[in-house]
Amino acid sequence: MTDSHCFDTSRLDALFAPRSIAVVGASDQASKIGGIPLDYLLRFGYGGALYAVNPRASHVQGLPAHERLAAIGAPVDLAIVAVPQSQVAGVLEDAAAARVQSMVLFSSGYAETGSDGTAAQQALARRAQEAGIRLIGPNCLGFMRPGHQVYATFSPAPGGGLVRPGRIGMVSQSGAFGAYAYSLARERGLGLSLWATTGNEADVQLADGLAWLAQDPETDVIMAYMEGCRDGPRLRAALALAQERGKPVVMCKVGTSALGAAAAASHTASLAGNDAVYDAVFRRYGVLRAHSITDFFALAASASIARAPKGRSIGLFTVSGGVGAMMADDASAAGLDVAPLSDAAQRQLREWVPFAAPRNPVDITGQVTNDMTLLERSARLMLADRQFDSWLGFFAAGGLSDAFWPVLQSLVQTLRTHHPDTLLAVSTLCPPERRDALEALGCLVFADPGAAIRCIGALARLHETPQALPAMADAGSALHLPAGTLSEQRSMALLAEAGVPVVPHRLVRTAAEAAQAAQEMGGRIVLKVCSDAIAHKSDVGGVALNLADAAGAQAAFDRILANARQARPDAHIDGALAAPMVQGGVECIAGVHRDPVFGPVLMFGLGGIHAEILRDVSLRLLPITRDDALAMVRELRAFAVLDGARGRPRVDLDSIADTLCALAGFAQRAGATLESAEINPLIARPHADGGCVAVDALVIGREAA
């Protein structure tokens, strides 16, 4: 699977950049749904051709009224449709006859109402596609392009004041949230290139809006509000396009349920829940995920004002020791590097202010009030000494002071001149006009230093995201798996053939064969019931551990098969799988499962409590590189357990990475016939002990669509 960067958004130009607009269901009353967009277009100065369609009127809001679209007799790029659901099909036929290019459909009564509405929406989408009409909606609030005076919406938000034109594009699946966000953008002073809501997404989806904005020369940053996604490849392609064009995407994604995972037979799907998969998608494409409305706007504003820092080092400057300590804590939590200044720089700072804290954060104390030159001298010393990727200064309420303001403004101008590649930010209270002046210099301004650090940490990740999707290496010929759960023997054989290191094992069909296996394998062995119908063997008493001799193995064979037959009398049992007990090492879990939206997702974590209770797992969409596999291992919170914490031997990390790559290759070969494959446990051991080894496996096949 690869991402397609071939999004054809040219036909969306007629939608988002219309040269002519017709309002169908146009009303003379500017307060009605059919009157609001016409009023906006007239009042706010839309410069293209504008038509009103209303068969029961001669004029609407001063414009001649047309009986239908086909009666206009001129090209119509965009039809804004504000009629009841019962009239929509007729309007669509009229639009097809008039060769309308695109349509905004406000009307409700479709998929949001149930199965009948869903069927009507599907029929609507099919007819629009046949007619070559791009459709946004139904049940949507429409869109706006402030810089082009296009207001194809009945939202009351523009009536309360217009957002200024700018270079941030905003797409929302929710009309209510979109209207709220429009008002917040206006109050924050953010300029928008596009504001769009997608509603029921019969045709145009959020992904289409993202892709169009990724190619829009008037947009630098993209904001998106998402509730869910039906077409994972489409979303991935749109995010890949934005990444390729260097346009940050700030995403507010709601919903954290593990959709579709509860019924899965393996642990992998439940551990890789719905929201965790979205996180993996966003991480892969450098999406800045916002978990609050405040961060949503702060991240978007920051990305539009300043370039992302080239690394994670940050210099912290403060006039308050307590706030400096808080900033240092926040920076650590954000994964930023608060490297200390050199000894020479610290000595210089102490010469200027003997009671300063010169390490980093640098606390110059209230002495700056007596000597305001300390501000610029200290900041320039910090950046000259360490060349920090980012620099943040905390100045309390200094931005409100008329005496301090020229000093702060001069500081930012000087630092910007001498350190053009450093991300600059200040945390201070100041009026909007002073904030605007600093932002015009490319300096971020925050009231809360914690919010500043969260934004800087998020922006720093943009340079750490791979810019090219890896091509999956050839993993061999295609593999067609049978539908359903495969026995451990069959699962282990398939994974071994794919290159996964598996523990030596054999199928024993009688108690005598179990005894013989115990003698030949030597040491202690394990016996596990083997059946396609029994996925979780311990649940039916089908596992016997630490069998030391032939007699013990013989008795255990009879016992576990009797247990399994009693628990599952319907199951066909092949026998038992015999394998040597694996001693030592760290118990891990690795798996791949088919997400219903995004396809195959690879998972790795430590076993036991780490995975099941703490959910300390890492995920990647396929395909992956070997570097991805190593990164999955290293990003676990409990990575120190693998890396030799508290005197433990360090496990073979390369062996784990190779196993994850082999598992990914197996998923590639199996394609749509794989539901999930899980190694649980995967025992990670030092290189001297043979590296990691799979001691249990479960493969589940599916009917390919």
Side-chain angles (χ1 to χ4, degrees):
M1 173 181 172
T2 58
D3 288 339
S4 170
H5 290 234
C6 302
F7 245 105
D8 180 12
T9 58
S10 59
R11 291 176 57 219
L12 291 180
D13 290 343
L15 175 66
F16 293 134
R19 295 166 296 180
S20 54
I21 301 175
V23 180
V24 182
S27 172
D28 215 29
Q29 297 183 43
S31 60
K32 289 192 172 182
I33 290 178
I36 293 172
L38 189 59
D39 172 56
Y40 286 165
L41 291 164
L42 289 167
R43 183 153 46 110
F44 301 143
Y46 172 63
L50 185 59
Y51 308 102
V53 177
N54 186 329
R56 296 184 299 276
S58 60
H59 286 77
V60 178
Q61 296 189 35
L63 294 177
H66 301 270
E67 183 178 0
R68 61 187 188 279
L69 287 165
I72 293 174
V76 174
D77 282 347
L78 171 64
I80 302 172
V81 180
V83 300
Q85 193 260 7
S86 59
Q87 299 178 24
V88 170
V91 171
L92 182 55
E93 292 303 323
D94 181 28
R99 298 182 181 275
V100 170
Q101 298 297 301
S102 62
M103 180 182 293
V104 173
L105 184 56
F106 298 154
S107 312
S108 58
Y110 288 94
E112 78 279 5
T113 65
S115 57
D116 290 344
T118 298
Q121 180 171 305
Q122 291 171 343
L124 178 75
R126 286 193 299 269
R127 184 66 187 103
Q129 184 177 27
E130 291 169 359
I133 297 173
R134 295 308 306 264
L135 171 68
I136 189 167
N139 190 36
C140 77
L141 209 54
F143 75 92
M144 296 176 262
R145 284 197 78 197
H148 295 255
Q149 296 77 47
V150 176
Y151 290 87
T153 182
F154 66 94
S155 169
L162 297 182
V163 73
R164 66 179 180 83
R167 303 192 64 82
I168 299 175
M170 182 186 297
V171 187
S172 172
Q173 289 181 325
S174 164
F177 179 88
Y180 175 62
Y182 177 94
S183 300
L184 289 179
R186 180 184 62 219
E187 297 306 311
R188 173 61 178 81
L190 297 186
L192 300 184
S193 60
L194 174 73
W195 175 94
T197 64
T198 56
N200 288 10
E201 298 190 341
D203 171 27
V204 175
Q205 299 181 13
L206 179 128
D208 298 289
L210 297 180
W212 189 84
L213 288 169
Q215 299 174 90
D216 175 31
E218 299 178 17
T219 299
D220 294 332
V221 177
I222 302 169
M223 299 177 72
Y225 174 87
M226 176 188 290
E227 295 174 345
C229 175
R230 299 192 307 272
D231 189 339
R234 196 167 177 175
L235 178 62
R236 290 184 67 173
L239 294 176
L241 185 59
Q243 184 182 44
E244 181 183 86
R245 299 298 176 92
K247 298 190 179 183
V249 175
V250 181
M251 183 74 71
C252 184
K253 163 68 175 69
V254 297
T256 58
S257 63
L259 179 65
S266 71
H267 292 84
T268 304
S270 59
L271 290 170
N274 178 260
D275 193 62
V277 174
Y278 276 100
D279 260 345
V281 172
F282 297 156
R283 181 172 55 248
R284 171 62 192 83
Y285 299 103
V287 173
L288 305 177
R289 185 172 187 180
H291 293 281
S292 70
I293 301 297
T294 299
D295 285 353
F296 189 46
F297 282 91
L299 283 170
S302 298
S304 68
I305 292 164
R307 289 179 294 181
K310 294 182 179 180
R312 306 194 69 82
S313 67
I314 186 169
L316 299 173
F317 181 91
T318 179
V319 294
S320 164
V323 173
M326 288 191 294
M327 289 197 298
D329 290 343
D330 289 340
S332 176
L336 296 172
D337 178 16
V338 188
L341 298 184
S342 68
D343 291 342
Q346 292 187 47
R347 283 195 300 271
Q348 179 65 76
L349 286 169
R350 284 200 182 95
E351 286 180 16
W352 292 339
V353 182
F355 41 84
R359 183 176 170 81
N360 187 20
V362 170
D363 175 18
I364 207 69
T365 76
Q367 184 65 20
V368 70
T369 305
N370 295 326
D371 182 1
M372 289 194 180
T373 67
L374 279 172
L375 186 64
E376 188 171 309
R377 282 189 284 149
S378 301
R380 291 190 63 178
L381 175 64
M382 290 178 69
L383 288 172
D385 183 60
R386 285 297 189 204
Q387 297 295 320
F388 292 110
D389 300 309
S390 303
W391 182 89
L392 170 63
F394 173 75
F395 304 111
L400 298 173
S401 166
D402 291 338
F404 185 72
W405 167 242
V407 178
L408 180 58
Q409 193 172 29
S410 174
L411 168 71
V412 172
Q413 289 172 330
T414 299
L415 295 184
R416 175 53 64 228
T417 299
H418 292 280
H419 301 278
D421 295 329
T422 299
L423 184 148
L424 300 179
V426 297
S427 175
T428 186
L429 300 179
C430 63
E433 63 272 13
R434 291 181 177 177
R435 181 196 66 203
D436 292 346
L438 295 179
E439 289 179 347
L441 295 171
C443 177
L444 307 182
V445 182
F446 297 85
D448 175 12
I453 288 171
R454 287 195 302 274
C455 280
I456 294 169
L459 292 174
R461 290 197 295 271
L462 291 177
H463 278 299
E464 298 169 0
T465 304
Q467 295 299 306
L469 186 70
M472 181 73 87
D474 183 12
S477 59
L479 178 66
H480 189 281
L481 300 178
T485 302
L486 305 187
S487 70
E488 183 181 356
Q489 181 199 24
R490 298 170 72 188
S491 298
M492 294 279 267
L494 286 167
L495 294 180
E497 189 272 336
V500 172
V502 302
V503 69
H505 59 276
R506 71 172 71 169
L507 180 68
V508 293
R509 301 182 184 276
T510 66
E513 289 182 3
Q516 183 178 1
Q519 290 177 328
E520 293 178 356
M521 288 183 173
R524 296 181 179 273
I525 70 165
V526 57
L527 287 176
K528 295 175 282 186
V529 67
C530 188
S531 170
D532 285 348
I534 301 176
H536 301 299
K537 299 172 285 294
S538 59
D539 292 349
V540 299
V543 179
L545 304 174
N546 286 311
L547 303 173
D549 53 34
Q554 187 168 345
F557 179 91
D558 290 334
R559 183 175 67 255
I560 64 173
L561 262 67
N563 291 341
R565 287 176 177 136
Q566 182 177 2
R568 291 293 307 275
D570 59 318
H572 172 76
I573 297 176
D574 299 324
L577 208 65
M581 291 288 293
V582 176
Q583 303 295 326
V586 179
E587 183 177 316
C588 301
I589 181 172
V592 60
H593 90 284
R594 178 166 297 279
D595 181 81
V597 175
F598 294 104
V601 179
L602 186 67
M603 183 273 292
F604 175 74
L606 266 62
I609 188 173
H610 292 284
E612 295 185 10
I613 298 177
L614 302 180
R615 303 187 73 83
D616 184 15
V617 298
S618 58
L619 305 177
R620 289 295 186 278
L621 299 180
L622 299 187
I624 66 163
T625 64
R626 195 171 185 283
D627 286 344
D628 289 328
L630 282 170
M632 289 179 70
V633 179
R634 292 183 177 278
E635 69 190 30
L636 295 178
R637 296 191 299 274
F639 170 68
V641 176
L642 299 172
D643 201 36
R646 300 181 68 88
R648 297 187 181 194
R650 186 172 187 265
V651 307
D652 187 347
L653 302 180
D654 289 329
S655 174
I656 299 175
D658 291 341
T659 298
L660 292 174
C661 289
L663 193 56
F666 170 73
Q668 178 196 14
R669 290 182 57 205
T673 68
L674 176 67
E675 180 63 35
S676 67
E678 182 174 282
I679 305 168
N680 185 20
L682 175 72
I683 304 299
R685 302 177 298 183
H687 177 75
D689 294 336
C692 69
V693 61
V695 299
D696 203 337
L698 176 67
V699 173
I700 303 174
R702 66 191 289 267
E703 292 286 351

